[in-house]
Amino acid sequence: MGLASKGWGSGLIGVIIFSASLPATRVAVSGLSPMFLTSVRAVIAAVLAVMALILWRQARPSTSDLPSLAIVAAGVVIGFPLMTALALQHITSARSIVFIGLLPLATAICGVIRGGERPRRAFWLFSCGGSLLVALYAWSQTADGTLTGDLLMLAAILICGLGYAEGAVLSRRLGGWQVISWALLLAAPIMAVLAVGTWPSDWTRVTIPVWLGLGYVSVFSMWVGFVFWYRGLALGGIAGVGQLQLLQPFFGLALAGVVLGEPVAWSMIAVTLLIVACVAGAKRFA
């Protein structure tokens, strides 16, 4: 199996892991404040990251890598988790998930700007077509949105796309899991202070499902998923592998329906098949 194929396989595993992030966040914010959830999940993931860095005796990144690591931390450790947690106080996880369909396009654009990639014109047709399909599906199937929630999700997508692209470029030098680990470590002091400052005064609302949601977003969404995702982007290309995120809304919608009992229309299956075709086309011309 070539490096590009390994990259696509690794990226798909990352997407599947990320697909449960928003439903898990939706459950977690039912008992925890968005700020506390954002900060404590980063602190928990940072502990895992430090253990891995020490265990595998990783050398410290150079000073020149720090600005890029700061962008990764701002995008995927702080910005995206916080904005999505805030958004989920205004909209359902099903509605928030469909915004993820815009993430591949945002990642591809950032990959061109930050990663120097130059996909062919046909790639952009498939990428824009897939994003348009997701957007149209969103507006036709979910009428329970609010302006605040939608704007927060849009901002989350933009900053996350930049964090993905920046992390992928760094992964070519430092390695996928090393990038997210160092970014978590860089953000840890700030997130620890925020966690203490937003510590819940009443833990009676923190039920077992809330604990499970917190555990998932801390371990899998914040660290394990990125191990596969950044490796996939680095090996398979930012713009190309990023298109796998077009499938994430539909994985997530299925989970929202099964885990949270949120309604999911049968038309999702038909749209998913079209999305798969767009991903296949983007892969060919990336």
Side-chain angles (χ1 to χ4, degrees):
M1 183 182 294
L3 290 179
S5 296
K6 290 181 179 178
W8 280 79
S10 183
L12 181 60
I13 295 174
V15 166
I16 292 172
I17 292 173
F18 290 151
S19 295
S21 297
L22 291 178
T25 300
R26 174 78 169 173
V27 173
V29 293
S30 66
L32 300 170
S33 71
M35 185 62 75
F36 178 74
L37 175 63
T38 300
S39 55
V40 76
R41 66 186 279 186
V43 171
I44 294 171
V47 172
L48 297 176
V50 169
M51 292 172 61
L53 290 169
I54 293 175
L55 181 62
W56 279 281
R57 299 180 181 179
Q58 297 298 301
R60 294 180 181 179
S62 64
T63 304
S64 61
D65 290 329
L66 292 180
S68 292
L69 284 172
I71 292 175
V72 174
V76 304
V77 177
I78 302 173
F80 184 77
L82 177 59
M83 291 179 185
T84 52
L86 290 171
L88 285 166
Q89 292 190 318
H90 302 276
I91 59 178
T92 66
S93 62
R95 184 173 181 84
S96 67
I97 287 167
V98 295
F99 278 86
I100 302 299
L102 301 175
L103 191 50
L105 188 58
T107 303
I109 293 173
C110 291
V112 169
I113 297 172
R114 300 298 299 175
E117 297 188 353
R118 294 295 182 267
R120 286 178 278 179
R121 289 183 180 180
F123 165 84
W124 295 108
L125 292 175
F126 282 107
S127 180
C128 291
S131 296
L132 181 60
L133 279 171
V134 173
L136 290 175
Y137 182 82
W139 305 135
S140 66
Q141 297 297 324
T142 56
D144 52 357
T146 67
L147 180 61
T148 299
D150 289 352
L151 288 177
L152 283 167
M153 281 304 304
L154 185 59
I157 293 305
L158 293 175
I159 194 171
C160 187
L162 178 59
Y164 279 171
E166 198 71 32
V169 174
L170 269 180
S171 295
R172 296 167 184 168
R173 300 197 303 273
L174 302 181
W177 72 268
Q178 291 90 336
V179 167
I180 189 59
S181 295
W182 288 116
L184 285 165
L185 186 58
L186 186 64
I190 297 175
M191 304 312 280
V193 171
L194 288 175
V196 173
T198 57
W199 194 266
S201 57
D202 181 13
W203 287 91
T204 59
R205 295 179 58 196
V206 185
T207 60
I208 291 178
V210 172
W211 282 114
L212 292 175
L214 172 60
Y216 189 91
V217 297
S218 301
V219 177
F220 293 95
S221 303
M222 199 78 265
W223 194 65
V224 176
F226 280 103
V227 173
F228 292 99
W229 183 239
Y230 277 144
R231 180 176 182 271
L233 292 175
L235 294 179
I238 300 170
V241 174
Q243 299 309 298
L244 287 169
Q245 294 165 111
L246 287 170
L247 300 173
Q248 186 171 328
F250 301 97
F251 290 145
L253 282 170
L255 287 169
V258 173
V259 178
L260 303 181
E262 296 182 357
V264 178
W266 65 267
S267 55
M268 180 184 72
I269 299 175
V271 177
T272 301
L273 293 176
L274 293 175
I275 293 298
V276 170
C278 289
V279 173
K283 180 180 186 295
R284 179 178 180 182
F285 294 105

